[in-house]
């Protein structure tokens, strides 16, 4: 087998596209060499060799070492120097390089091949003693750290002692004699630490170094990095052995790193840093402070010109931003690395837009260059991460963005604060629908319990408000209005910051950066629309949310949760009266009071969505959620309803359920209290007819939630159609409307062919469908689910990213069976998954017609849908 690939001006064996085999760095070196960019020659030992090494109990596969020796001989020939030569020695660097870069995670060794003898040769051939011994002491330090396990700082102590003794602040000011002295001291340290001298056989050094790089694939930080970035442990790393070029031979030498465009803004400017008379690790290790790249133009104009030519050639070749490493040796430029530059969301958008405008990439590529997951950053205020903060605790990143404010502990306090214009963070054990006003008033929401689809999380995302949920480390004392984390206590009024993108809770005020929706961003989204086939709608309950969604490009409303309308202002009293009523007559009386409010709400919503479909879901939550809780509320409702406090409390007990999520909710309310749904249908259709008369284009879609059996739906569908026909006839207008259902229970998916006989559309309510399929409470699982994810039992939180192999089957089955009895069945998704890129990819595969998500996720969904279609 071939384990080793040579790269050099006259012969490059590796395929520069094959990152899997050569690693990212190795592929880049091969590619650069083959397009005529100056790269010091060398060879790459493949990732396959690394994989074999691990399979073979850490022994090299057969032929590897012979091939490496042969490549070394070729290298000697190309360089006109010999490895281990005491006159003019060849030195090499040994670097790791996995298929995806893992910055700083694995090991690098420079100046390999130096010994007490060869260093004299280096001195002779370069005529530069300082350089020779500077290289030697660097090599001893790096090799000892990486291969022999003697930590860096022990060497750095010696260096700083030396600098102190010589009274200089920079190591470039140390004399040749000092460098020689340093190398000797370093070797003494090694002897003391190991009990054996520093290895003096270059071939052995090379073997040790290759082993060390292979070993570093499985060091702890590399493993952790792979886990965080979801990379496989089986890829292995390649090893690049490359002849050294020296940035430390004097003031016409240097080394640096640069990006072909600014990676944080995307601006088309060459961006980077460099150090004169230095080697690469000085930049990385922060031993010396590098200069901005613009300085290079002044210091070494010729080399800068070469560098400019090279970076432009590289960008044209790769058609993307490159992150490059270079060294200048005596005025001659060499490239040591090129790879795709990592960038912020803002930069990604600008770069994609500009590169299309420059004709470098086509529109499709431009759209694919922007990561849907990343652009969330552009839609919410973000924390300035260049500053360090006092992090109190970490919860779930439930709704992105960041907020700074005073801690308050109940909704009323949040609302009161908002009235006087104060920024607050609402801190609750968990939120309930009653907190909605306070949540709206607060800048952000922090809860101690609850998962990614808990009430707080869903509502906050809907509002585009940041939220950290399920932060179990905070202990809330609601009465005393404070919370504690460990030994720290945050009282009411103390300033905290929450980061809904990371889940962090910060003590004090962090610095925020405001979002901006650039013209380029809007344009990229328009391009995305040209490619996507999935529709994108929004989950919105109010005209204001609907308008935001529309501005973000929503093509309609996929879910209006009508229960939110029940909590506003005075109507909650009428709603409570309805719930507490003894019989149907009592309920009808109360419903009459609610209906005008409902109708008004629908008018607002339909107007905001003129010309687009609006899916209105009939009442869904268990009734007890509307019951008054505090003594104060109980008394107020008692006064208003003519019931005694005792009677009211008794009613609350009666409505109590042990498992309300599986209880008296959804269409079960419609089946048992048809007058409630009837009122809602009247309100919807009357609103629609009025607007239709006024010349608006209204497209109502009435949706029945939590159906398990077609007979539930049949009953309610018939009622809905009867009411709708009556209202339409009375108004004397022509109005099209749809009646459909949500698929939120496994039984509905399993019998979707039957259900579809009564439904013109399905909307998969994957929040409940996940909860009921996995038997995992969406409100409580936050307590233990993180451990499940950590352990890899579920790869992702199934409430965030759809569980394809489980819930996904039910969705696919639902679509197929539904269309088997109703070929034109329209299908969508309105669970939180509708805004998650990975789930959107799944929806495309499953053949859904549209996704629906919170207004602030609409741009993400548009982009993800385009990626899914491409
Ligand atoms: C769902 O269950 O997925 C859904 C959208 O409904 P809700 O979140 O209101 O239960
Ligand atoms: Mg639901």
């Amino acid at each position: 087998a071939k384990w080793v690939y040579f790269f050099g001006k006259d012969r490059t064996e590796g395929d520069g596209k094959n990152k899997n085999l050569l690693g990212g760095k190795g592929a880049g070196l091969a590619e650069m060499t083959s397009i005529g960019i100056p790269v010091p020659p060398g060879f790459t030992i493949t990732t396959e060799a690394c994989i074999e090494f691990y399979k073979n109990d850490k022994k090299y596969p057969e032929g590897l070492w012979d091939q490496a020796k042969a490549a070394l001989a070729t290298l000697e020939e190309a360089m006109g120097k010999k490895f281990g030569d005491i006159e003019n020695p060849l030195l090499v660097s040994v670097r790791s390089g996995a298929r995806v870069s893992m910055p700083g995670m694995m090991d690098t060794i420079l100046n390999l091949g130096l010994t007490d003898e060869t260093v004299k040769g280096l001195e002779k051939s370069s005529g530069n003693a300082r350089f020779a011994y500077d290289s030697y002491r660097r090599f001893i330090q790096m090799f000892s750290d990486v291969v022999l396990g003697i930590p860096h700082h022990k060497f750095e102590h010696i260096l700083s002692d030396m600098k102190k003794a010589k009274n200089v602040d920079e190591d470039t000011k140390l004399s040749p004699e000092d460098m020689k002295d340093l190398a000797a001291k370093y070797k003494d340290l090694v002897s003391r630490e190991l009990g054996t001298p520093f290895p003096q056989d270059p071939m052995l050094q090379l073997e040790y170094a290759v082993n060390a790089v292979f070993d570093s694939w499985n060091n702890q930080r590399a493993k952790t990095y792979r886990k965080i970035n979801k990379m496989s442990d089986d890829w292995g790393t390649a090893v690049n052995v490359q002849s050294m070029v020296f940035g430390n031979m004097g003031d016409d030498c240097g080394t640096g790193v640069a990006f072909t465009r600014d990676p944080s803004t995307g601006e088309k400017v060459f961006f980077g840093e460099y150090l004169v008379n230095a080697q690469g690790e000085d930049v990385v290790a922060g031993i010396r402070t590098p200069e901005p790249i613009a300085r290079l133009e002044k210091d070494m104009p010729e080399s800068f010109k070469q560098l400019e030519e090279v970076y432009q050639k590289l960008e044209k070749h790769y058609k993307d931003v490159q992150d490059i490493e270079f060294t200048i040796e005596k005025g001659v430029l060499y490239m040591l690395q090129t790879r795709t530059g990592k960038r912020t969301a803002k930069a990604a958008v600008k770069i994609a837009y500009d590169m299309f405008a420059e004709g470098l990439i086509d529109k499709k590529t431009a759209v694919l260059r922007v990561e849907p997951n990343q652009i969330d950053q552009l839609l919410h205020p973000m924390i300035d991460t260049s500053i360090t903060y006092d992090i109190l605790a970490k919860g779930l990143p439930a709704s992105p963005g960041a907020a700074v404010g005073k801690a308050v502990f109940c909704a009323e306090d949040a609302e009161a604060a908002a009235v006087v214009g104060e920024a607050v963070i609402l801190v609750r054990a968990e939120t309930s629908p009653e907190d909605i006003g306070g949540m709206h008033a607060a800048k952000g929401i922090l809860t101690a319990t609850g998962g990614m689809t808990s009430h707080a999380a869903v509502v906050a995302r809907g509002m585009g408000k940041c939220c950290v949920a399920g932060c179990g480390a905070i202990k809330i004392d609601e009465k005393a209005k404070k919370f504690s984390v460990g030994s720290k206590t945050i009282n009411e009024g103390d300033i905290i910051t929450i980061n809904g993108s990371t889940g962090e809770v910060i003590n004090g005020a962090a610095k925020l950066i405001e979002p901006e929706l650039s013209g380029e961003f809007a344009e990229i989204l328009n391009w995305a629309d040209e490619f996507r086939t999935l529709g994108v709608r929004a989950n919105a309950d109010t005209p204001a949310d609907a308008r935001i969604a529309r501005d973000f490009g929503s093509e309609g409303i996929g879910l209006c949760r009508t229960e939110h309308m029940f909590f506003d202002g005075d109507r909650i009293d009428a709603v409570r009266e309805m719930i507490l009523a003894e019989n149907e007559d009592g309920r009808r009386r109360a419903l009459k009071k609610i209906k005008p409010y409902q109708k008004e709400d629908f008018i607002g919503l339909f107007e905001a969505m003129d010309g687009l479909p609006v899916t209105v879901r009939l009442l869904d939550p268990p009734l007890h959620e509307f019951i008054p809780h505090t003594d104060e509320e109980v008394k107020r409702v008692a006064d208003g309803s003519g019931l005694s406090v005792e009677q009211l409390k008794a009613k609350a007990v009666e409505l109590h359920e042990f498992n309300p999520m599986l209880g008296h909710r959804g269409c079960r309310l419609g089946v048992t209290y048809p007058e409630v749904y009837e009122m809602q249908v009247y309100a919807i259709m009357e609103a629609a007819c009025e607007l239709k008369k006024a010349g608006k284009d209204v497209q109502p879609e009435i949706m029945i939630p939590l159906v398990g059996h077609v007979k539930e739906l049949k009953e309610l569908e018939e009622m809905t159609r009867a009411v709708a026909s009556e209202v339409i006839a009375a108004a004397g207008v022509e109005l099209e409307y749809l009646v459909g259902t949500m698929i939120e229970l496994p039984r509905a998916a399993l019998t979707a062919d039957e259900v579809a006989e009564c439904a013109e559309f399905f909307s998969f309510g994957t929040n409940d469908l996940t909860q009921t399929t996995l038997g995992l409470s969406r409100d409580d699982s936050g307590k233990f689910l993180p451990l499940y994810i950590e352990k890899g039992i579920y790869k992702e939180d199934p409430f965030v990213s759809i569980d394809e192999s489980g819930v996904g089957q039910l969705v696919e089955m639902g679509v197929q069976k539904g269309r088997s009895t109703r070929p034109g069945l329209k299908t969508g998704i309105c669970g939180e998954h509708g805004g998650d890129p990975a789930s959107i990819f799944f929806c495309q595969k499953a053949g859904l017609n549209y996704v629906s998500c919170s207004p602030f996720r609409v741009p993400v969904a548009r982009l993800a849908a385009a990626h899914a279609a491409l």
Side-chain angles (χ1 to χ4, degrees), residues 414-424 441 443:
E415 288 179 81
V419 170
V420 296
E422 225 165 30
V424 294
K443 291 282 177 205

Side-chain angles (χ1 to χ4, degrees), residues 2-246:
K2 187 162 176 59
W3 307 112
V4 176
Y5 288 78
F6 187 81
F7 56 89
K9 216 162 58 197
D10 303 321
R11 185 158 68 103
T12 295
E13 297 178 328
D15 171 4
K17 310 274 179 299
N18 198 346
K19 291 188 190 175
N20 291 1
L21 182 69
L22 301 176
K25 191 187 293 268
L29 291 169
E31 187 78 358
M32 283 197 288
T33 306
S34 64
I35 60 170
I37 285 186
V39 172
F43 55 89
T44 302
I45 301 174
T46 64
T47 55
E48 283 172 2
C50 177
I51 296 165
E52 284 303 309
F53 175 78
Y54 278 106
K55 269 197 212 150
N56 273 340
D57 203 16
K58 298 203 180 183
K59 281 197 279 300
Y60 293 155
E62 204 182 308
L64 167 61
W65 202 239
D66 288 337
Q67 291 177 27
K69 281 193 212 151
L72 186 61
T74 313
L75 184 58
E76 289 176 331
E77 214 171 290
M79 297 300 291
K81 296 179 185 178
K82 285 214 169 309
F83 191 60
D85 190 17
I86 56 172
E87 295 294 328
N88 184 15
L90 170 69
L91 303 187
V92 296
S93 64
V94 180
R95 298 176 206 246
S96 62
R99 63 167 77 172
V100 177
S101 88
M102 300 166 58
M105 295 302 127
M106 291 183 299
D107 292 329
T108 291
I109 297 165
L110 304 181
N111 306 306
L112 189 130
L114 280 175
T115 64
D116 291 352
E117 295 306 315
T118 58
V119 70
K120 289 180 202 154
L122 187 63
E123 178 181 353
K124 246 187 268 169
S125 63
S126 66
N128 185 336
R130 187 195 179 281
F131 153 72
Y133 284 93
D134 180 36
S135 301
Y136 196 22
R137 62 103 192 169
R138 287 169 185 274
F139 171 57
I140 297 167
Q141 173 171 351
M142 258 189 163
F143 189 88
S144 299
D145 178 49
V146 169
V147 178
L148 308 174
I150 306 171
H152 259 298
H153 64 88
K154 299 204 172 173
F155 296 94
E156 253 127 52
H157 271 311
I158 300 176
L159 175 61
S160 60
D161 284 351
M162 170 81 80
K163 284 200 282 192
K164 242 183 253 155
K166 300 286 164 180
N167 202 16
V168 297
D169 49 2
E170 296 228 7
D171 51 320
T172 43
K173 302 212 175 94
L174 292 172
S175 71
E177 279 312 307
D178 296 337
M179 284 298 172
K180 206 166 181 171
D181 199 15
L182 263 185
K185 288 198 158 96
Y186 281 11
K187 276 193 303 170
D188 286 347
L189 172 67
V190 174
S191 297
R192 254 182 290 130
E193 291 278 325
L194 293 183
T196 53
F198 186 79
Q200 293 291 323
D201 172 0
M203 239 11 233
L204 197 64
Q205 291 175 354
L206 181 60
E207 191 180 332
Y208 280 173
V210 170
N211 289 343
V213 171
F214 280 163
D215 280 336
S216 71
W217 172 253
N218 274 335
N219 70 30
Q220 199 50 51
R221 61 175 195 269
K223 281 194 204 163
T224 308
Y225 184 90
R226 289 199 292 272
K227 202 164 166 189
I228 294 169
N229 291 282
K230 303 196 176 19
M231 293 162 55
S232 165
D233 284 335
D234 303 331
W235 292 344
T237 180
V239 186
N240 299 290
V241 179
Q242 191 176 17
S243 74
M244 282 294 298
V245 285
F246 300 97

Side-chain angles (χ1 to χ4, degrees), residues 264 273 381 444 518 600 622 715 731 747 766:
S264 74
E273 295 177 328
S518 69
E600 203 181 304
E715 227 177 278
R747 194 182 192 286
T766 44

